[in-house]
Every structure is written in C-alpha cells, then in structure tokens.
Amino acid sequence: VYNPQADFLLQAIASAKRQLYPHWELYIADDASTLPHIRPILEKAAASDPRIHVTFHDEQNGHVSAASNAALSIAQGEFITLLEHEGELAENALYHAALALNENPALDLIYSDEDKIDAKGKRYGHYFKPDWSPDLFFNQNLIAHLCVYRLSLAQAIGGFLMGYEGAQQWEFTLRFLEQTKPENIYHMPRVLYHSRAISGSTAISIETKNYTAETGWR
C-alpha cells in the first residue's frame, strides 16, 4: 500500500472480506505512505477482523518489491495471492482457487482471467486467457491476476527481487516456474480479479509508468 485514494483502498479490503471462501488471511504492508488517511484505515481494518494483519514501514518507501516481501515474510497460509491496493477480488475468487486445489492438491500455481474496473465501478476490458502457454508467458506476463502461488516455493526462491519494480511479478514467476512442472499449473477460466483503471494506473496505459516497459525487457 502506498498513498491510494481512500475509497479505492476501502473497496480493495472489502473485496477480501466478502469472499465466499472464509479461510483466508490478508497481509497488508504499508510502504511509508504519507497521506494521513492511510494509517487509520489500515488500523481499523485490522481491528475489525482477526484475519487482517498490517505492517508499517515508516522510515522510507521501499517500493512494491520490498512491500510485497514484508507481507510475504509474515504470511502463514499454504498458498498466497496478490492484491493491489486499488484492485478488487471477485467474491468467488478464493472459492474457485480452493476448489481447484481440493481437486488437485499437487498444483503449485493457479491463475484466472481478469478485467478492469473504472472509478465508477464499471467493469470492462476482459482478458480471457489461454490455458498454460509458455510461449505466450515468455513474451508477456500472462499470469498477472488472479494468481495463486504455493508459499513454500515462493519462499524458496527468495520472494521478489529489488530492481525489477514494474515487472516484479513477471520476474518472480519466471523464477517460480523453475520450481514446478507444467502439469502443476492450472488456468481457472473465470474473471476473478478486477484491476483499477484510473489516472496514473498501468491498467489504462503502460506509458503511465515508463519504467515498467524497461524493467519488463530486463
């Protein structure tokens, strides 16, 4: 979390709390936000539900990889997924992930289709993905959201690397793939994640954050 608009942050947290599947924990890492409304929102969220845990980095902004690692370091579940501070989970997102894992406990990586959501809550830009395609993944971050990773493997590869911000999940997943097999990767053909498309977001255009393209090439 870093200085999101209050209502979008609240909606992101609410999307976790309304999950049909109840056995989850939400780990929130605040990356030295400077806006005064952030800490009260996060503290209230943690107080409202024992499944929500918050860690604050008050000294300096470490960027998304550092914040993700801070949350990863305290995660207790068997599997993890990523939620942007302005994104939203579909209410059945974790249910379908758990269902897939119950049907095949050997799965290490699960991903779903996704779309975008604007400031008024209108969904559009649906991305219906193929089943696992290495050729496509090596050319773009096919996985993106929703993506569920086995925690033990995420920890084994050392989490997210500094210096790849903007393409940190793609880089992370490239290393994660070395720890698993294609038969342990599963595509859920459902739209289970909504990326917020607002001014300054890469959900509108990658050009809003030029460093993401450069990092992606690296």
Side-chain angles (χ1 to χ4, degrees), residues 86-104:
E86 293 172 332
E88 292 188 29
L89 299 170
E91 67 176 2
N92 56 349
L94 301 185
Y95 167 81
H96 284 292
L99 184 64
L101 289 165
N102 285 340
E103 292 177 347
N104 184 357

Side-chain angles (χ1 to χ4, degrees), residues 79-165:
F79 292 86
I80 59 164
T81 190
L82 306 173
L83 174 60
E84 297 169 322
H85 64 186
E86 293 172 332
E88 292 188 29
L89 299 170
E91 67 176 2
N92 56 349
L94 301 185
Y95 167 81
H96 284 292
L99 184 64
L101 289 165
N102 285 340
E103 292 177 347
N104 184 357
L107 294 176
D108 293 323
L109 190 155
I110 309 168
Y111 66 98
S112 78
D113 300 339
E114 60 185 291
D115 63 14
K116 300 175 183 178
I117 186 169
D118 66 17
K120 296 181 179 180
K122 180 181 178 180
R123 291 170 49 196
Y124 70 100
H126 311 316
Y127 181 14
F128 300 112
K129 304 170 185 176
D131 286 347
W132 175 238
S133 170
D135 290 338
L136 181 57
F137 180 76
F138 293 146
N139 284 278
Q140 62 174 265
N141 185 9
L142 163 68
I143 298 296
H145 300 290
L146 177 85
C147 189
V148 176
Y149 303 90
R150 186 177 293 276
L151 177 59
S152 60
L153 298 184
Q155 293 173 329
I157 63 174
F160 297 86
L161 292 187
M162 307 301 170
Y164 289 94
E165 288 76 12

Side-chain angles (χ1 to χ4, degrees), residues 183-194:
E183 57 264 34
N184 294 336
I185 300 172
Y186 177 68
H187 167 228
M188 299 180 289
R190 299 172 180 271
V191 176
L192 300 180
Y193 191 95
H194 318 304

